[in-house]
Amino acid sequence: MSTEGASNLSFVLNKPNDVTFVEKPIPEIKTPHDVLVKVNYTGICGSDVHYWVHGAIGHFVVKDPMVLGHESAGTVVSVGNAVTSLKAGDRVALEPGYPCRRCSPCLSGHYNLCPDMRFAATPPYDGTLTGFWTAPSDFCYKLPENVSLQEGALIEPLAVAVHITKQGNIQPGQSVVIMGAGPVGLLCGAVAKAYGASKVIAVDIVQSKLDFAKSFAATHTYLSQRVSPEENARNLIEAADLVENGGADCVIDASGAEPSIQASLHIVRMGGTYVQGGMGKDNITFPIMALCLKEVTAKGSFRYGSGDYKLAIDLVASGKVDVKKLVNGVVPFKKAEEAFQKVKEGQVIKILIAGPNEKVEESEGLDTTVDEKKLKENEKASAAGGCC
């Protein structure tokens, strides 16, 4: 495949709420193990929106212009002379970060914890909202014929959910409560169901999100109320018929919201498992007594590790997880900022941005008009706390 006449237009964040489109040189393969990929579709993650609005996440601060995006799929254009697993024309899901391969976490099989991880759209590294992307071949996963490139762009958030759910060690027949019905929470529910969970309870503060969750993978839903965490926990346990079990076998927080985290420790059963998947404030008030008295196994979850991408692709290819249901629309590359605004507005689940060399049919498009009323409602709900 040739790059002649192709565009490497990139969506660049200069500072908070200041983005521009910049035509950059097409990158070159730097090692024999790398591949050059034409980016076909990219999803928008909450972290992308956070950088766009605030210019930082924790100690990761945007100091220089940075290309946004990291949820992508594309087509291989060329490969290094040592690459045998891929060839030009192969369709791939891109794992957007790669480690040093030499530190203790890497050598122990936990490369997601590598302190020298080069992760797309995490300062100082550019992201994948661009025309072409180079990466190590073993971090580009060939898509089966029955998995589309648009589905391939959803493999990244699904891999996040796979990793979170693995941390929960969910077994067939167990009950799982998922706090937060955003994209990752929804996908955690779908993965838990694929693992054989008999009850998947979605929790949120927005009824429309719960309605979708019930149609997607949840067996039960619970609309969180403005009451104490303990009362919300009691109400949920009764509503989901978990009284006899003493609570849920596993609780996953995919919200990062303090009230949700507090309720989670009162929802999980004695000896159960709690997984923190959502990120929120650095420090919160935490119900440590419930954790201790119940002997809860508590785990964190960060990005994805060995085998997570492959399992995510298999879940889609086998039909066990239908990621297409999450996509509200596809927009041309030039409408990337409008797409970011719709995600910030909180009234879509996933929008895909077509690459600058991709043609988008009018029928695929999405109304990118900003609804200021919905934006304010979403910001008000987020400020109120609870699942998001």
Side-chain angles (χ1 to χ4, degrees), residues 11 16 21 42 45 50 65 126 139 159 171 241 253 296 331 356 360 364:
F11 187 59
F21 292 97
T42 300
C45 176
H50 200 88
D126 283 333
F139 282 77
Q171 303 297 315
D241 195 21
D253 177 74
V296 173
V331 300
V360 178
E364 290 184 275

Side-chain angles (χ1 to χ4, degrees), residues 352-381:
L352 297 183
I353 300 170
N357 299 294
E358 196 76 12
K359 293 182 179 180
V360 178
E361 298 293 334
E362 287 298 324
S363 61
E364 290 184 275
L366 180 77
D367 179 9
T368 52
T369 304
V370 176
D371 188 328
E372 295 293 345
K373 182 179 178 181
K374 289 182 178 178
L375 176 59
K376 289 178 181 178
E377 287 175 352
N378 186 60
E379 289 175 342
K380 184 179 179 181

